[in-house]
Amino acid sequence: MANYPIKRLRRLRYNPIIRDMIKETELTKNDFIYPLFVVPGEKVKKPVKSMPGVFQLSIDELVKECKEVESLGLPAVILFGIPEHKDEKGSEAYDPGGIIQTAVKAIKSEIKELLVITDVCLCEYTSHGHCGLLKGEEILNDETVELLVKEAVSHVDAGADVVAPSDMMDGRIAAIRKALDDKGYYKTPIISYAAKYSSGYYGPFRDAAESAPAFGDRRSHQMDIANSLEALREVEEDIEEGADIVMVKPEGPYLDIIRLVKDKFGMPTAAYQVSGEYAMIKAAGQNGWIDEERVMLESLTAIKRAGADMFLTYFAKDAAKWLDKNRK
């Protein structure tokens, strides 16, 4: 074997013990935030057809689910609400007796250690499915921010640990931060959906949250999928306004954005493995086209490798069970 290579990178791959010792990226349960969808009623556990394994849950079923999440050692959930009634102003979003406010109280009355994060947006609550107040077909920025502030404060009043504005209105982080501080909630963190793209990967979520827009799309406020420097401007603005954690959404096609954000700002960074990404892996796995478990773990590892400190994923329970199984 003349002229064989002196450097053989495969030397560190033959032995599985060595492979584990030099592993650069390690998944842990503390990485995961589990999204949950809350609906009115009792004993409701309605499957979301486009998201196998995901359900719309009434509050009694939600509490059971959160107990399981806690038992698996997962640290956090994020709640999305589907109200009984919708109107043009999304009134139940900021109603103290609304679906999310009631759900937070129910969880907190029975589960003390689970971190409860709430989505702050109007799209699930408006009759037109858009993220804010409308004038004709225009989404009004400042008037919408006023309602988002009321929504965020009402969530924290109910006991939410963290609020996560996902609307992409300009100035909403500063407004929410001021309102929380003025009410004495200066310890409550804000996770900002700072770089949220106008993505085709959100389709199944809109089935789950019943939030598809009645007309048009969300390109007037969500980011153009072609832009990366704009993402840095969005993130910088939210940091300056008081965001404690910044998020990139979606994650799979936007791993480059996660890395850019992490390298540029060094902030605690979240990512959202969105419904379309989950549905594609699930569908391909159920058809036998891929090894679902392997691809799930590969996709989650990629998010962390790209620089995310935490991520929202519908695979959180499955991943937690896999971690338990493989560390016994």
Side-chain angles (χ1 to χ4, degrees):
M1 294 180 62
N3 298 320
Y4 64 87
I6 299 299
K7 294 183 178 180
R8 292 182 182 265
L9 298 181
R10 290 182 61 199
R11 289 192 191 105
L12 300 182
R13 300 178 193 148
Y14 290 111
N15 189 310
I17 297 174
I18 295 177
R19 286 202 302 268
D20 286 342
M21 291 174 72
I22 65 169
K23 188 186 297 288
E24 298 175 23
T25 304
E26 192 83 29
L27 288 176
T28 76
K29 293 181 184 181
N30 285 332
D31 299 329
F32 306 136
I33 300 169
Y34 191 43
L36 293 167
F37 299 95
V38 197
V39 296
E42 294 182 2
K43 298 182 179 179
V44 177
K45 190 173 183 178
K46 181 181 177 182
V48 179
K49 291 182 180 179
S50 55
M51 299 175 70
V54 175
F55 302 87
Q56 292 181 332
L57 303 167
S58 55
I59 289 174
D60 54 328
E61 294 292 335
L62 174 75
V63 172
K64 292 178 187 177
E65 186 77 359
C66 287
K67 287 179 178 178
E68 182 184 359
V69 168
E70 184 187 41
S71 73
L72 288 169
L74 293 168
V77 296
I78 183 168
L79 304 182
F80 299 89
I82 299 95
E84 190 165 4
H85 302 291
K86 301 188 179 193
D87 60 35
E88 290 187 356
K89 295 182 177 180
S91 300
E92 193 168 325
Y94 40 90
D95 184 338
I99 186 72
I100 287 295
Q101 294 82 348
T102 306
V104 170
K105 291 175 183 177
I107 295 168
K108 285 299 183 180
S109 70
E110 297 199 36
I111 307 168
K112 304 303 181 186
E113 299 303 319
L114 188 67
L115 191 77
V116 178
I117 306 166
T118 57
D119 174 73
V120 176
C121 194
L122 298 182
C123 62
E124 297 108 301
Y125 304 92
T126 55
S127 53
H128 46 73
H130 281 286
C131 300
L133 294 178
L134 296 180
K135 183 177 181 180
E137 295 191 358
E138 178 190 355
I139 299 171
L140 301 174
N141 191 94
D142 296 4
E143 293 85 348
T144 295
V145 168
E146 292 178 12
L147 299 184
L148 296 170
V149 167
K150 291 173 64 175
E151 182 181 6
V153 170
S154 73
H155 290 179
V156 182
D157 283 342
D161 298 298
V162 184
V163 292
S166 63
D167 54 284
M168 288 297 284
M169 297 296 122
D170 290 332
R172 89 271 202 221
I173 300 302
I176 290 170
R177 182 74 272 159
K178 183 178 187 305
L180 292 176
D181 290 354
D182 287 349
K183 201 162 184 186
Y185 294 136
Y186 55 88
K187 294 181 181 178
T188 302
I190 297 174
I191 299 177
S192 168
Y193 286 64
K196 180 178 179 180
Y197 285 83
S198 183
S199 170
Y201 285 85
Y202 301 153
F205 173 93
R206 292 172 183 171
D207 292 339
E210 300 179 11
S211 63
F215 60 86
D217 54 37
R218 294 176 178 157
R219 297 185 191 188
S220 73
H221 51 290
Q222 295 177 358
M223 284 187 52
D224 189 318
I225 63 169
N227 295 352
S228 56
L229 295 179
E230 183 186 4
L232 298 180
R233 296 196 296 272
E234 286 279 7
V235 171
E236 184 173 32
E237 180 177 301
D238 284 4
I239 293 170
E240 290 174 351
E241 291 184 9
D244 301 284
I245 299 169
V246 293
M247 188 192 300
V248 175
K249 179 183 178 183
E251 61 80 19
Y254 300 89
L255 296 175
D256 60 322
I257 307 301
I258 298 172
R259 174 49 60 192
L260 282 172
V261 167
K262 192 65 175 179
D263 287 348
K264 173 74 173 178
F265 301 106
M267 284 284 290
T269 302
Y272 197 149
Q273 185 181 50
V274 298
S275 58
E277 299 172 76
Y278 172 85
M280 288 191 299
I281 294 172
K282 273 288 184 183
Q286 289 179 349
N287 279 285
W289 298 335
I290 60 170
D291 180 332
E292 180 184 320
E293 184 178 272
R294 182 175 179 181
V295 172
M296 169 191 75
L297 294 168
E298 186 173 341
S299 66
L300 296 175
T301 301
I303 306 172
K304 190 166 184 179
R305 189 188 67 236
D309 303 290
M310 64 200 79
F311 25 97
L312 287 64
T313 175
Y314 303 96
F315 283 119
K317 290 201 305 181
D318 291 342
K321 292 172 184 176
W322 182 90
L323 288 169
D324 286 340
K325 179 180 70 176
N326 286 276
R327 286 174 183 169
K328 288 182 179 178

